[in-house]
Structure formats: C-alpha cells, structure tokens
Amino acid sequence: MDTSSYKPGLEGVIAGISAVSMVDAEKNELLYRGYDIHDLVEHCTMDEVAYLLLYGELPDEATLEAFNQRIRMDREVPPALYDLFRALPNTAHPMDRLKAAVALLATFLPEDETNLRKAERLYAKLPTLVCASWRISQGQEPVVPDPNLDHSASFFHLLTGTPRTDYLAHVFNVTQILYAEHGFNASTFAARVTVSTLSDLYSGVVSAIGTLKGPLHGGANEAAMEMLQEIGSPENAQEWVRDALVQKKKIMGFGHREYKHGDERAKIVKGYAKELAERTGNALWWEISEIVEAEMLAAKKLHPNLDFPVASVYYLMELPIPVYTPIFVLSRITGWSAHIIEQLENNRIIRPGHLYNGLEKRSLAPR
C-alpha cells in the first residue's frame, strides 16, 4: 500500500476556498473579511464583528442599529427549552445540554427563512440558552433577556442577573471577537461537511458544537484552567511541566496546527490577563502561566494558543469553568454560519477517499 499521499489529520491538505478569514502562519496574521484582528479588537464590538462575518462588510451606523434591534428583540427562547434543561441531568456537560437545545430550538423556528436570518437568530438566542442551561443546572431560575443591553452586557446579565459595562465586559468583548472565526478549524469543517449533504444550518451547528467540545479544540480552555489549578502554585509549575512532559502528557493550551511562531490572539489576551491580575490583586494564575509558558518554549518550542490565556482571564471574571467552551460557541456561531452559507453557495458534497489497510480479498468457504 502506497501511503505517500496520506496526510494524517488532513494536515496541509487544501479542502476548500473561503473569503471569510485568512490565517497567515508566517506573518502571524489573522484577518476577518480582510480586517486584521488587532484593529477589530481595538475599534469594534462583537456585534459589529458578527455583522462583518455574516454580511461581508462592517455596518454603518444605521445598519448596525437595525441589526442590533433584530438581535436584541430575538433573544427569547421557547419555554420548552427551559423544560428541556430541567429534564436533562444537572451533571451533563453544558456542551451536551447545548447540543440538545439547538436541535430542539430548530424545530420551533421557521424553516423557510434565509440562512442569514437563521444565523442571526442563533447569534441572538445562544447566550440565552447557555446561561439558562447553567443556571437551571445550579438550581436557579433563568434570567429574562433585556433588549436594551449589548452582547457583552447581556451575557453577564443572563448568567448572573447583573449586566456589566466595565473593564470585564470590555475584555469579554475582546475574547468574543478573537473566538469568532478561524478558517477551516475542526468544528467549522464539521459544519461544512454536514451542510454539504444539503442538510440544514441548524444541523451543521449541532455538528460543530459536538466537535468543539473536544479538549483538542474548544474544550482546551476548560482543560487549561483545570491544569493551572492542579499545578496550584508558581513553586510547583516548573517541576509539574517537566514531569508531565516525561510522562508524555498533553499540556493543554499549547501548540497550533497553523501557527508556528505564536498565536497573535493569545498575545492579545495575554496583555489583558496581566492587567486583570493587577486590577484584581490576584497574580497567582499569571505567575503560574508565565512559568508554564517558559518551560514549554524551552522544552518543546511551543507557544500558547488562544485557549491558554483565556482560561485564567475567564477565571478572574469568576465565570464557571464548565461554561468556558459554551462561551466559545456564542461568538463562533458567526464564523460557523458564514462558512455554512459560503459552502452552500457553491456546494459539492465533501466526501474524501481513504486508503485500505485491512485484510486481502478472501473467499467464504461453503457451509
């Protein structure tokens, strides 16, 4: 069997053409629809970036106001979704609860709407689902969405009952922008594969949520924080990493298939992580993280990816660790939807071949 054409994990294989985003590994650049992420986090809200990814251009003031009105008035979800959350085990992972919720939600929404409108509805409703699911699992009642709040303020309101418009809300906005889109990543590709069969957008999103749950993808932010907690103190960090490497354990939040010289998104969030440590007076996670980064660079020449600094940033925001990956979904829904729409515009079913390494042809003896 000739395996010279085989690329494990499809590494380096070009699987499509997209205008949604560009990752330039050599320049360490990430562009959304041509805009550099540094400019977007500096000047835009997540709502503006959501519009950009879905519609291809940044909105002018009037267009943004109309978009915001549609989103803010569409945050409510059918009561049956709350009943679902109450029926599911409280111990179920929030991503599993979210998969079930999106599948059920799809049955209540109009089938004949455009995919753009369906994408808007999911961008509006997913924060309500994520926060209500968590609150119900903790024995609390869901919070009624407030149409007067923007994306970040509304998230904190739905999760805690109190909106935030302070520095924490700003940092949350930055992380949402940075999580929104990233080329043909695993969950995006899963969504494109699903809709390439001419299945619907909601099914593509359910596929993507299931893919994102994995600790080698979106679940890495949860795993990274749990790792930092296990390390416990700066004094333990160096030895912990060295022992883990000897045991060939996966160090969560490090390395990236595309970035070889460091993830620009991680560099951006790292600056906020340092400032949050200073503002909160809690430098523990920053200090541990710095040692872990130094050890990984020295031993493996690996840089942190976005999930590593986001983990401690969310922890300092007092966000529950099991909700970290669902928070990822709240923004990535825009990238997923943009790719789903793009896939269907010039669709061909995604169906790769494979190499067979099983038994040679054999005969079945008469019985």
Side-chain angles (χ1 to χ4, degrees):
M1 179 178 64
D2 180 11
T3 61
S4 59
S5 63
Y6 172 50
K7 304 292 184 182
L10 300 182
E11 183 169 2
V13 174
I14 303 302
I17 299 173
S18 178
V20 181
S21 69
M22 183 188 75
V23 178
D24 189 322
E26 292 305 315
K27 294 181 180 178
N28 275 19
E29 282 187 343
L30 173 58
L31 310 181
Y32 294 175
R33 303 286 193 183
Y35 290 102
D36 191 288
I37 54 167
H38 288 84
D39 293 332
L40 293 174
V41 300
E42 182 71 22
H43 301 292
C44 295
T45 65
M46 181 57 211
D47 290 329
E48 290 175 288
V49 172
Y51 187 94
L52 168 68
L53 290 171
L54 293 176
Y55 288 92
E57 298 290 345
L58 284 170
D60 58 27
E61 188 174 343
T63 303
L64 179 61
E65 177 61 27
F67 176 71
N68 283 342
Q69 283 300 311
R70 292 196 300 275
I71 298 303
R72 295 179 185 193
M73 298 306 296
D74 207 7
R75 288 174 175 154
E76 293 274 8
V77 299
L81 274 297
Y82 300 141
D83 294 337
L84 170 68
F85 291 143
R86 294 185 179 100
L88 292 172
N90 290 337
T91 55
H93 193 284
M95 289 291 279
D96 292 327
R97 296 167 67 87
L98 188 58
K99 278 186 299 182
V102 172
L104 178 59
L105 176 66
T107 66
F108 286 91
L109 299 179
E111 294 183 9
D112 57 352
E113 290 185 315
T114 67
N115 281 328
L116 274 170
R117 185 66 189 118
K118 291 175 182 177
E120 286 187 355
R121 287 193 187 279
L122 285 178
Y123 177 64
K125 296 179 186 300
L126 276 169
T128 307
L129 293 177
V130 167
C131 296
S133 173
W134 177 252
R135 288 181 64 87
I136 288 171
S137 74
Q138 301 303 299
Q140 301 172 314
E141 286 300 305
V143 174
V144 177
D146 184 343
N148 298 308
L149 301 175
D150 66 14
H151 180 79
S152 295
S154 177
F155 167 76
F156 285 101
H157 175 245
L158 291 168
L159 186 67
T160 69
T162 304
R164 299 198 80 120
T165 57
D166 57 3
Y167 183 72
L168 293 189
H170 170 68
V171 177
F172 184 79
N173 180 74
V174 168
T175 65
Q176 286 282 278
I177 291 173
L178 295 177
Y179 267 138
E181 161 59 10
H182 207 244
F184 271 39
N185 58 85
S187 56
T188 295
F189 190 61
R192 292 188 76 133
V193 170
T194 298
V195 302
S196 77
T197 69
L198 297 185
S199 189
D200 59 282
L201 180 141
Y202 301 116
S203 295
V205 170
V206 171
S207 295
I209 292 171
T211 307
L212 189 70
K213 179 188 175 186
L216 295 185
H217 192 12
N221 53 21
E222 295 178 27
M225 191 62 226
E226 290 165 354
M227 178 184 71
L228 293 175
Q229 288 180 317
E230 184 178 339
I231 293 170
S233 71
E235 292 74 23
N236 296 336
Q238 186 179 74
E239 183 178 356
W240 191 98
V241 174
R242 292 179 180 180
D243 287 346
L245 291 175
V246 168
Q247 297 174 42
K248 300 189 181 303
K249 289 183 179 179
K250 177 73 175 175
I251 308 297
M252 302 310 300
F254 282 83
H256 197 280
R257 177 69 62 84
E258 295 189 87
Y259 296 114
K260 307 305 178 187
H261 310 295
D263 185 339
E264 282 299 298
R265 301 170 303 167
K267 295 176 185 177
I268 292 170
V269 176
K270 186 176 176 180
Y272 288 101
K274 183 177 182 180
E275 184 166 349
L276 264 180
E278 294 170 351
R279 286 180 178 233
T280 60
N282 182 358
L284 174 63
W285 310 114
W286 169 261
E287 292 170 1
I288 296 174
S289 297
E290 285 289 274
I291 296 170
V292 173
E293 282 190 40
E295 284 297 308
M296 288 299 291
L297 187 59
K300 305 293 288 186
K301 293 183 170 53
L302 288 178
H303 299 271
N305 56 46
L306 175 59
D307 289 316
F308 188 67
V310 163
S312 57
V313 162
Y314 284 172
Y315 197 78
L316 289 177
M317 289 182 181
E318 299 182 353
L319 300 178
I321 294 175
V323 182
Y324 290 6
T325 311
I327 289 172
F328 193 153
V329 175
L330 304 188
S331 62
R332 185 57 63 88
I333 183 60
T334 57
W336 288 339
S337 297
H339 278 275
I340 287 170
I341 292 166
E342 187 177 66
Q343 175 68 36
L344 293 173
E345 286 174 347
N346 188 27
N347 187 58
R348 186 176 184 187
I349 188 170
I350 299 173
R351 202 290 190 191
H354 75 287
L355 298 173
Y356 175 69
N357 71 343
L359 297 173
E360 296 293 327
K361 183 179 179 181
R362 49 185 172 165
S363 298
L364 179 64
R367 289 180 290 177

